[in-house]
């Protein structure tokens, strides 16, 4: 049943505050804005009728929860008093303070918040789109695929299991290896690990950017006898013959590997819509001052979350710290003042290293640990696993998306 707080279908064509995207970032900001700035009218443009808690997909892919647990009706999270425009943004014209939608609406704004997420480029790997969901080719990076990952793990009978990481920015940089550690754990429980090889083929030059956590992950990979192939970028998949082709990032040498199963983290990038708009920075992301999150050329525009050009790891945890900065600075700009609230690049990656084990990485722009708990978070802990599996989802649905946390 749809709750009563939707104002969808309103024919207004101007809003004081317009939020693009109703995912983690868009809803979090909108909820905080509605709590603090009730007198301003606000709309969210979001075509999806569902909202997903994507961090749970790692555990869903490993069979811990059913996928339905990560899905809710979007309508339940549109803040009271906000309008929901159920349309798809097609063009942003910041010179005119106007947004055009695919459905033909033209909506103008005084202030704009850009929160359109990251684009997943499945088609950049020939064979991937065709093969995904068949032939033991799986990915946790889409709701409709995540249960196939669990099927692949469950039905694995030995051979080579490959886990990939692309040469692009991705959301949650740790997720490509979390599912591998869980798979390894599962293969040991079912007794197939001794007749299999687990390969982490990553286009990156190291397991993790921050030394403190990297050291732990290197030990975990060693303990689990994982074959780590760094600087290996997946460029093709041949589903029928079950072959994956990688390109070495330095030598451009092509390396072919047969697989019994492969978990693919697809290439990602800025949404085309942003890349082709005046908001884009050189790399195509929505440009934003790394501290104030304000656009460098359009002071009435703020960006946050995965679509923004902030030089930090793209996570929901980062958004939890970015949202209050956007809200505070938006208020300053509305009052004709300079934006003074600052985001320090905080991000967090709950690195699941097995069932019941987790390293909670938390760090800032400098890669300096910025930890919440008074113990060494680089150690694998059951308590941190329980936090990820049970406490953080509650905090998300009941706190963050309600503008409270
Ligand atoms: C497998 C996996 C594991 C993860 N693990 C973690 C974790 O452990 N911890 C953590 O903090 N984060 C994790 N994340 C990352 C986290 O989910 C994202 O960083 C976060 O959801 C980004 O929020 P966002 O609002 O920027 O984008 P999203 O939440 O993706 O929202 C973008 C929204 O924009 C909408 N949209 C897109 N295009 C348009 C358009 N043209 N017009 C209108 N609307 C549009 C979409 O429908 C969507 O609702 C994980 C992600 C995945 C996939």
């Amino acid at each position: 049943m749809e709750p009563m707080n939707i104002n969808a279908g309103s024919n207004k064509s101007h809003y004081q505050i317009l939020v693009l995207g109703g995912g983690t970032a868009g809803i979090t900001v909108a909820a905080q804005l509605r709590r603090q700035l009730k007198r301003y009218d606000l709309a969210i443009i979001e075509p999806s009728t569902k909202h997903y808690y994507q961090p749970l997909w790692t555990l869903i892919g490993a069979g811990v929860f059913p996928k339905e647990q990560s899905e809710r009706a979007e309508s339940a999270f549109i803040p009271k008093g906000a309008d929901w425009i159920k349309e798809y943004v097609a063009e942003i014209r910041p010179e005119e303070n106007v947004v055009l939608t695919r459905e033909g609406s033209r909506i103008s704004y005084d202030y704009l918040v850009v929160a359109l997420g990251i684009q997943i480029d499945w088609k950049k790997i020939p064979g991937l789109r065709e093969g995904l969901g068949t032939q033991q080719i799986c990915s946790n990076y889409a709701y409709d695929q995540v249960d196939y990952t669990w099927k692949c793990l469950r039905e694995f009978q030995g051979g080579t299991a490959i886990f990939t990481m692309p040469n692009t920015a991705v959301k949650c940089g740790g997720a490509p290896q979390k599912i591998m550690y869980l798979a390894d754990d599962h293969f040991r429980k079912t007794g197939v690990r001794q007749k299999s090889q687990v390969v982490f083929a990553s286009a990156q030059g190291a397991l993790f950017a921050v030394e403190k956590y990297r050291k732990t992950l290197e030990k975990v990979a060693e303990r689990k006898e994982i074959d780590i192939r760094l600087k290996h970028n997946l460029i093709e998949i041949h589903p029928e013959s079950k072959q994956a082709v990688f390109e070495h990032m330095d030598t451009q040498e092509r390396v072919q590997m047969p697989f019994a199963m492969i978990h693919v983290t697809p290439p990602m990038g800025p949404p085309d819509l942003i890349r082709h708009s005046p908001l884009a920075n050189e790399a195509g992301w929505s440009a934003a001052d790394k501290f104030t999150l304000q656009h460098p050329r359009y002071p009435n525009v703020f960006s946050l979350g995965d679509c923004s050009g902030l030089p930090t790891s793209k996570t929901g945890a980062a958004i939890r710290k970015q949202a209050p900065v956007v809200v505070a600075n938006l208020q300053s700009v509305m009052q004709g003042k300079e934006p003074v609230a600052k985001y320090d690049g905080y991000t967090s990656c709950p690195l699941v290293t097995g069932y019941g084990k987790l390293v909670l990485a938390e760090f800032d722009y400098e890669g300096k640990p910025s930890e919440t708990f008074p113990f060494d978070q680089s150690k694998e802990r059951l308590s941190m696993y329980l936090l990820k599996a049970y406490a953080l989802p509650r905090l998300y649905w009941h706190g963050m998306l309600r503008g409270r946390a």
Side-chain angles (χ1 to χ4, degrees):
M1 195 185 76
E2 303 262 291
M4 301 307 291
N5 64 355
I6 315 167
N7 300 310
S10 131
N11 288 323
K12 280 171 67 169
S13 61
H14 180 86
Y15 287 89
Q16 285 163 302
I17 306 173
L18 190 59
V19 178
L20 307 185
T24 304
I27 294 293
T28 302
V29 160
Q32 291 185 15
L33 284 168
R34 284 302 303 160
R35 277 177 179 269
Q36 294 177 39
L37 295 173
K38 280 211 170 64
R39 67 181 188 283
Y40 289 90
D41 63 357
L42 181 152
I44 302 166
I45 311 187
E46 167 62 64
S48 174
T49 56
K50 302 288 182 198
H51 189 107
Y52 299 99
Y53 180 57
Q54 301 169 41
L56 212 59
W57 293 351
T58 294
L59 297 178
I60 293 167
V64 179
F65 298 115
K67 72 175 181 182
E68 291 72 22
Q69 209 152 318
S70 68
E71 184 191 66
R72 299 271 196 284
E74 177 78 3
S75 56
F77 297 95
I78 301 294
K80 201 161 187 277
D83 278 5
W84 178 14
I85 302 167
K86 257 193 237 173
E87 296 185 18
Y88 192 94
V89 179
E91 196 181 330
I92 307 168
R93 294 187 183 166
E95 310 281 357
E96 299 169 48
N97 294 326
V98 157
V99 165
L100 307 180
T101 70
R102 205 187 258 176
E103 291 77 2
S105 302
R106 180 188 165 93
I107 301 152
S108 58
Y109 58 82
D110 295 331
Y111 301 94
L112 185 71
V113 178
V114 186
L116 290 165
I118 201 166
Q119 178 171 300
I120 300 201
D121 293 320
W122 301 100
K123 58 184 183 307
K124 278 200 178 154
I125 310 238
L128 178 57
R129 262 228 305 227
E130 303 83 319
L132 196 64
T134 68
Q135 302 288 93
Q136 284 67 46
I137 302 170
C138 60
S139 180
N140 278 354
Y141 275 85
Y143 179 74
D144 62 354
Q145 291 296 326
V146 65
D147 43 5
Y148 187 67
T149 303
W150 176 226
K151 187 172 176 353
C152 291
L153 263 57
R154 252 182 5 239
E155 294 177 356
F156 186 72
Q157 292 299 318
T160 303
I162 306 178
F163 296 81
T164 73
M165 165 95 180
N167 67 344
T168 64
V170 298
K171 45 182 156 186
C172 196
Q177 52 190 300
K178 298 180 204 177
I179 185 64
M180 172 177 69
Y181 299 134
L182 287 159
D184 165 87
D185 212 350
H186 180 71
F187 298 160
R188 285 174 199 275
K189 280 185 191 142
T190 55
V192 293
R193 184 63 179 91
Q194 69 272 34
K195 46 179 176 168
S196 55
Q197 189 195 10
V198 176
V199 178
F200 186 51
S202 167
Q204 310 300 321
L207 266 189
F208 201 71
V210 179
E211 191 188 5
K212 176 171 183 180
Y213 310 110
R214 182 172 68 235
K215 282 184 178 160
T216 307
L217 292 177
E218 285 168 353
K219 282 192 199 128
V220 169
E222 199 183 322
R223 183 180 82 221
K224 290 177 174 289
E225 299 170 287
I226 287 165
D227 178 355
I228 298 173
R229 311 275 182 101
L230 298 177
K231 299 198 176 177
H232 278 60
N233 188 34
L234 179 70
I235 54 166
E236 283 170 28
I237 283 208
H238 299 279
E240 291 311 320
S241 57
K242 292 188 140 185
Q243 299 281 329
V245 182
F246 296 86
E247 184 181 64
H248 193 279
M249 296 297 292
D250 294 340
T251 63
Q252 274 72 57
E253 184 197 348
R254 280 166 71 96
V255 180
Q256 193 157 323
M257 282 186 226
F259 60 83
M261 71 153 277
I262 184 167
H263 176 274
V264 178
T265 299
M268 302 178 205
D272 288 340
L273 145 78
I274 293 179
R275 195 192 284 278
H276 300 133
S277 83
L279 295 182
N281 67 12
E282 278 176 4
W285 304 101
S286 189
D289 179 273
K290 70 187 254 197
F291 299 116
T292 65
L293 314 193
Q294 186 183 37
H295 197 280
R297 296 182 295 280
Y298 305 102
N300 61 336
V301 178
F302 288 81
S303 304
L304 78 166
D306 293 355
C307 72
S308 69
L310 301 171
T312 191
S313 175
K314 298 180 183 300
T315 65
I319 291 166
R320 198 160 73 85
K321 299 286 182 171
Q322 293 164 6
V325 174
V326 168
V327 172
N329 285 340
L330 197 53
Q331 292 191 57
S332 299
V333 171
M334 284 168 159
Q335 292 160 7
K337 298 184 196 150
E338 284 300 307
V340 290
K342 285 193 165 59
Y343 168 62
D344 66 0
Y346 171 91
T347 190
S348 164
C349 193
L351 295 156
V352 183
T353 54
Y355 293 91
K357 289 198 191 99
L358 188 142
V359 169
L360 185 61
E362 293 183 287
F363 50 96
D364 63 15
Y365 277 137
E366 270 76 53
K368 205 163 77 268
S370 171
E371 301 185 341
T372 304
F373 298 99
F375 47 70
D376 180 3
Q377 288 183 205
S378 70
K379 290 216 165 83
E380 296 171 87
R381 290 176 195 273
L382 169 64
S383 58
M384 295 295 96
Y385 177 90
L386 297 174
L387 177 83
K388 176 180 172 63
Y390 301 101
L392 293 180
R394 275 191 204 121
L395 185 75
Y396 184 76
W397 297 118
H398 304 296
M400 195 165 154
L401 294 188
R402 301 293 181 199
R404 289 192 197 109

